[in-house]
Amino acid sequence: MKPVSVAFLWHLHQPLYRLRGERTAVMPWVRLHAIRSYYDMVRLLDEFPAVQVTMNLVPTLIEQIRAYEAGGSDLFWDAGAVPAEDLDEEQRIFLFDHFFSAQDARMIGSLPRYAELLARRRRARRAHGPKDAWKEFTDADFRDLQALFDLAWFGFKALEDFPALAALARGGQAYTQENIREIHAVEREILRRLLPLYRDAATRRQIEISTSPYAHPILPLLIDSDAARESLPEAPLPQRFRAPEDARAQVEEALDLVERELGVRPRGLWPSEGSLSQETAELLAACGVAWAASDDGVLRESVLDEPADHRRPWLPAGPARAPWLIFRDHDLSDRIGFTYARLDPEAAAADFLGAVVQRAGEGEDRGGILLIALDGENPWEHYPRAGADFLRILYGSLLKTPSVACRSVSSALSEGPAPGTIRRLRAGSWIDASLATWIGGPEKNRAWSVLGRTRAAVGAALKDTTLPGDRRREAWASLRAAEGSDWFWWLDAQFSSIYRPQFDALFRGHLRQVYEALGRDLPDELNWPIRSPERRSDEAIAETSAWLLPEIDGFEGSLFEWLGAVRLAWSSLSAPGAMQRAVRPVESLWFGFSEEGEFLLRLDPARHAEAPGFARFGIDLSFRVAGQTRQLLVDLDDRGDLRL
């Protein structure tokens, strides 16, 4: 019996945080993930030379790493380099508000002084309110905060490879300006090493490098936004957007950049967010892509000649039968992404290995494939020691199991079973096998409309050979960036982020630069947020974007349990000035409907409260049904349970 091929595909991606021509990025996440996950994931492979994996590097990430190599910076890095005694009020507020952007338990909690500063910030905000709380920090506090924020983000391999860095982390407090310069120097060195490490690993064939479309757009929607109707037939959609030529350019330019920067032309593609459609598969075939990956949910929703089995490759029917399609094991991928961080590393690795062996035993004697595809960056913020123990035990256990082989995707396909045939590939992604995460909500639809109007206004100019080539290339680079998926992910309350205004501003900034490059007048709509700040919440909650199917157990097992629900923050629920932030009873309220017609309501207690305080808290719900108002009144006890 052939061993089952476990094909890890680690997806490394960040959107373009730096506007064209600017030296300083608005957000720090390329740098911070580089010194953590991107460095850890490739350096760890030196310890396991028999392990093969696939690293999916997105061109906008590579582009930004190169910008740091060339001396670029970001707003956070610049603020962290200012001597504490020279900080002005605005800079102190910035540090106080943003230099705790790290996972509480694993990252902040692992550095006692950092945890102490976070606790003091919470107390200061309760005592003085958010406007004046920063005044509680001394110069020494701010200097420690500058050092600890970056130290918390370093991964386990950085701490092992740079002993002086580990010593600074153990020191914990009373940092000097020289210490901060040392920390920043290590960051520069890691950023300098990073791409050569991936190139070397590819040269020795320990990693296969795949990629995604250049700026990480959702290809089915870029080709035709009405593709969303295949899974969301009743969803409100924006005016139809169609730019298949842009989709092709995003793919071809991605392949070209990776070949130029890393010395190998990718054979495979992880379409952004695993999003595929019949038209997308045909486009990838035209671009010479040998394989593409998505989620097993997309496979199950497609029209097949035989039962859906994600342990084998598949080919779309039609004259252009390439690329081969491989579908990830959703359950196993999500266990690593969302579940195992809470378990003991040995127990987590044993659970994964047991599931792999079980799946291998269920198949025929044909050497099946288990694609494990997920972020190679975000999960490790939640694991002890940035995932060091789990990953080492996981790779080591797999190598000791004769029925398992760790292979790259291309190697697994060459050793795998014969492909099945897909008669019709349904448009969808790794999230709920649909495209609802990026279209269908009011803000998302407005963003598509703004993008569409920009595309219509400049489309002819992009092809006008009478215009200077450099101006056309600059305009396309900015339009390409604005077509990325991340802006649509963060533009509404579907996912919570304090940085939503920055994502909004970056999206519109890229679009503004399209007009500027071509010497066109800017439309007024690009001067205003996609979601206007003065807009009241009751104007934005008419639609939910998907049926909900959460497990009602008091926990959020994964962020997808409430995907599609309407989320209202406390600031939207309370009248201005009615209650100070420090004593709000809940962080947010979520609601939506199940497919069976159940009304589902979720209350999140205040995030930093000493204990959930639901005493004397009640809910008054009013429903309009067939022209009549029906009211439901409930009281909660201290635990948040219904008072009977």
Side-chain angles (χ1 to χ4, degrees):
M1 180 175 180
K2 290 183 179 179
V4 63
S5 292
V6 174
F8 288 104
L9 187 153
W10 300 112
H11 177 55
L12 311 181
H13 158 64
Q14 294 295 327
L16 196 53
Y17 297 117
R18 181 181 284 101
L19 293 178
R20 178 174 42 78
E22 295 192 356
R23 176 185 174 279
T24 303
V26 174
M27 308 292 279
W29 312 124
V30 168
R31 169 175 60 94
L32 296 179
H33 283 293
I35 65 175
R36 192 176 181 87
S37 309
Y38 305 152
Y39 189 69
D40 285 350
M41 296 301 285
V42 68
R43 280 284 292 113
L44 179 63
L45 293 175
D46 290 341
E47 301 176 23
F48 300 94
V51 168
Q52 284 186 340
V53 300
T54 300
M55 295 290 192
N56 193 80
L57 281 84
V58 178
T60 47
L61 173 61
I62 297 173
E63 180 182 328
Q64 291 176 96
I65 292 172
R66 288 297 192 205
Y68 280 110
E69 287 183 25
S73 186
D74 58 66
L75 295 178
F76 287 62
W77 213 359
D78 290 348
V82 178
E85 61 273 13
D86 296 338
L87 292 165
D88 61 27
E89 179 176 325
E90 183 178 353
Q91 291 168 327
R92 290 171 188 264
I93 292 172
F94 182 85
L95 294 173
F96 192 81
D97 287 345
H98 296 288
F99 269 45
F100 293 95
S101 295
Q103 205 271 349
D104 278 15
R106 303 301 189 191
M107 298 172 70
I108 296 178
S110 66
L111 297 165
R113 167 66 166 158
Y114 201 10
E116 174 207 332
L117 290 173
L118 177 60
R120 285 179 53 198
R121 186 181 76 155
R122 291 169 178 168
R123 291 195 297 270
R125 284 179 164 175
R126 287 197 293 268
H128 305 293
K131 184 178 179 180
D132 295 319
W134 64 272
K135 296 176 182 177
E136 289 287 304
F137 275 23
T138 66
D139 287 351
D141 293 332
F142 279 112
R143 189 179 298 108
D144 283 356
L145 181 59
Q146 289 171 310
L148 289 163
F149 175 61
D150 284 20
L151 285 171
W153 273 94
F154 281 105
F156 61 92
K157 289 305 294 186
L159 295 174
E160 293 169 5
D161 289 351
F162 298 90
L165 188 72
L168 286 173
R170 289 193 299 270
Q173 60 184 349
Y175 293 102
T176 66
Q177 193 63 30
E178 179 59 29
N179 294 151
I180 293 173
R181 282 192 288 268
E182 293 171 16
I183 292 168
H184 289 185
V186 172
E187 293 180 78
R188 284 280 182 208
E189 176 61 18
I190 289 175
L191 287 160
R192 185 192 65 78
R193 293 183 184 185
L194 204 55
L195 293 180
L197 284 170
Y198 281 89
R199 177 188 280 263
D200 291 347
T203 299
R204 66 177 185 264
R205 297 181 180 272
Q206 192 171 7
I207 69 171
E208 175 180 6
I209 294 178
S210 61
T211 192
S212 296
Y214 197 102
H216 207 260
I218 303 299
L219 287 179
L221 297 178
L222 201 59
I223 295 169
D224 184 348
S225 61
D226 276 6
R229 295 203 184 279
E230 294 187 29
S231 58
L232 303 166
E234 303 301 324
L237 295 182
Q239 184 175 357
R240 196 172 188 180
F241 181 99
R242 286 187 286 185
E245 64 273 33
D246 289 8
R248 180 160 187 163
Q250 293 258 13
V251 173
E252 291 178 338
E253 291 172 16
L255 299 173
D256 290 344
L257 179 131
V258 173
E259 183 176 23
R260 184 170 64 250
E261 295 287 355
L262 297 174
V264 59
R265 190 169 186 84
R267 299 185 70 252
L269 199 87
W270 170 255
S272 314
E273 307 291 358
S275 57
L276 279 177
S277 65
Q278 187 73 22
E279 293 72 22
T280 300
E282 293 168 3
L283 181 146
L284 297 181
C287 294
V289 174
W291 62 261
S294 184
D295 186 77
D296 61 19
V298 174
L299 178 66
R300 289 194 300 271
E301 296 296 332
S302 298
V303 179
L304 312 174
D305 277 351
E306 49 194 302
D309 183 355
H310 64 272
R311 294 169 298 181
R312 67 185 303 185
W314 293 80
L315 283 170
R321 293 178 61 84
W324 285 38
L325 302 180
I326 181 171
F327 298 89
R328 75 174 197 142
D329 189 303
H330 186 105
D331 172 50
L332 286 182
S333 301
D334 277 8
R335 289 192 205 184
I336 295 177
F338 304 111
T339 303
Y340 287 157
R342 300 193 298 268
L343 302 182
D344 172 79
E346 288 192 7
D351 180 84
F352 183 88
L353 183 61
V356 167
V357 171
Q358 180 184 23
R359 283 160 169 73
E362 292 171 352
E364 299 174 11
D365 183 11
R366 59 187 187 184
I369 305 170
L370 290 176
L371 176 66
I372 313 300
L374 69 151
D375 273 352
E377 52 207 25
N378 294 318
W380 316 120
E381 298 172 34
H382 305 276
Y383 277 72
R385 296 194 341 107
D389 302 321
F390 169 74
L391 285 168
R392 282 174 169 144
I393 296 169
L394 177 65
Y395 284 162
S397 299
L398 291 171
L399 288 177
K400 295 175 183 176
T401 306
S403 60
V404 175
C406 288
R407 295 188 170 110
S408 68
V409 173
S410 288
S411 177
L413 288 172
S414 69
E415 298 287 336
T421 299
I422 301 177
R423 290 300 168 192
R424 175 70 188 179
L425 183 63
R426 201 193 78 170
S429 73
W430 73 279
I431 302 177
D432 200 31
S434 82
L435 302 173
T437 301
W438 303 276
I439 199 167
E443 286 80 13
K444 300 179 195 296
N445 286 349
R446 184 183 172 201
W448 277 105
S449 296
V450 172
L451 177 63
R453 285 190 286 271
T454 300
R455 185 67 179 75
V458 305
L462 293 175
K463 301 176 183 178
D464 185 354
T465 56
T466 65
L467 291 174
D470 58 344
R471 288 171 55 189
R472 286 184 284 122
R473 285 190 294 272
E474 289 173 354
W476 163 241
S478 295
L479 180 64
R480 180 180 63 194
E483 290 176 343
S485 67
D486 297 81
W487 323 120
F488 302 91
W489 179 290
W490 293 111
L491 278 173
D492 60 13
Q494 189 173 23
F495 298 106
S496 177
S497 173
I498 64 171
Y499 296 110
R500 188 174 301 121
Q502 285 86 345
F503 281 97
D504 188 325
L506 280 165
F507 171 68
R508 290 180 291 108
H510 289 305
L511 291 178
R512 278 198 299 272
Q513 288 194 321
V514 176
Y515 289 93
E516 291 167 356
L518 297 172
R520 301 290 185 88
D521 292 335
L522 288 175
D524 186 58
E525 67 180 346
L526 294 182
N527 295 321
W528 300 97
I530 296 298
R531 184 179 187 182
S532 299
E534 69 276 5
R535 186 176 180 184
R536 289 295 296 167
S537 62
D538 55 2
E539 298 175 21
I541 61 176
E543 297 282 351
T544 55
S545 60
W547 300 123
L548 305 182
L549 191 61
E551 183 175 352
I552 308 300
D553 58 359
F555 299 92
E556 184 179 42
S558 83
L559 59 87
F560 304 113
E561 286 195 49
W562 289 84
L563 181 66
V566 172
R567 178 184 181 276
L568 299 177
W570 175 250
S571 59
S572 300
L573 296 168
S574 59
M579 185 174 294
Q580 293 298 315
R581 179 179 176 86
V583 294
R584 66 187 188 280
V586 295
E587 190 78 24
S588 57
L589 177 149
W590 306 61
F591 73 86
F593 295 88
S594 72
E595 195 166 5
E596 291 73 30
E598 298 168 310
F599 176 73
L600 300 170
L601 179 69
R602 162 180 160 182
L603 292 173
D604 288 350
R607 188 175 303 168
H608 301 313
E610 298 297 330
F614 289 107
R616 298 179 299 280
F617 191 80
I619 304 173
D620 182 348
L621 297 174
S622 296
F623 299 87
R624 291 284 292 172
V625 181
Q628 296 183 339
T629 299
R630 300 180 182 178
Q631 191 174 36
L632 174 65
L633 296 172
V634 296
D635 290 324
L636 305 181
D637 62 20
D638 289 359
R639 291 169 45 85
D641 295 327
L642 292 179
R643 189 183 298 278
L644 301 177

